[in-house]
Amino acid sequence: MDFTLSTRQGRIGTVVEVAGDLDMSTTPELRDQLRTLVESSAQLVVVDLTGVGFMDSSGLGVLVVAFKDLRERNGRLALAGASQPVRTVLSITSVDRVIGVFETVHDAEEASSAVS
């Protein structure tokens, strides 16, 4: 599967839709997009992982760095639509205890609006 990345305005934040494998060859593109959003003072970024079947440690690292960078600027990062293999990576590394993981983008936005 080819890697694709797109960004759209969500209901209350920015949604980054990712499809394909998230690995060493594709994470630089995601890292750059997330960095741009952080620098533009985004308050909520939801990474939609619905189309991601595989994620390695480089993908995990990009998400953790974006989470920390957004938090330093009073923003939030949420993950949505993670497949079972991706959820396993998030769980084994305990990242799912720090970054909110939701079934859908809508669920992530709802949870974020309740916190606001």
Side-chain angles (χ1 to χ4, degrees):
M1 172 189 272
D2 290 334
F3 181 78
T4 60
L5 181 67
S6 62
T7 303
R8 66 177 173 81
Q9 184 59 43
R11 193 171 54 79
I12 61 170
T14 303
V15 178
V16 179
E17 296 173 335
V18 185
D21 291 346
L22 198 46
D23 57 27
M24 284 187 346
S25 66
T26 58
T27 53
E29 191 174 345
L30 178 60
R31 181 194 63 230
D32 293 346
Q33 182 60 51
L34 292 173
R35 184 179 296 140
T36 298
L37 292 171
V38 168
E39 291 171 356
S40 72
S41 300
Q43 290 302 298
L44 172 64
V45 176
V46 179
V47 179
D48 184 352
L49 300 169
T50 303
V52 176
F54 171 81
M55 179 174 67
D56 69 8
S57 61
S58 63
L60 191 65
V62 165
L63 295 173
V64 170
V65 167
F67 169 79
K68 289 179 179 179
D69 290 347
L70 281 163
R71 186 179 62 190
E72 287 174 4
R73 296 174 182 233
N74 297 316
R76 289 187 299 277
L77 178 75
L79 308 177
S83 65
Q84 191 56 52
V86 173
R87 280 185 177 269
T88 299
V89 170
L90 296 169
S91 176
I92 287 171
T93 58
S94 297
V95 168
D96 61 350
R97 294 183 183 178
V98 179
I99 302 174
V101 181
F102 302 89
E103 289 295 319
T104 65
V105 170
H106 178 77
D107 292 345
E109 290 178 324
E110 285 295 312
S112 182
S113 66
V115 172
S116 298

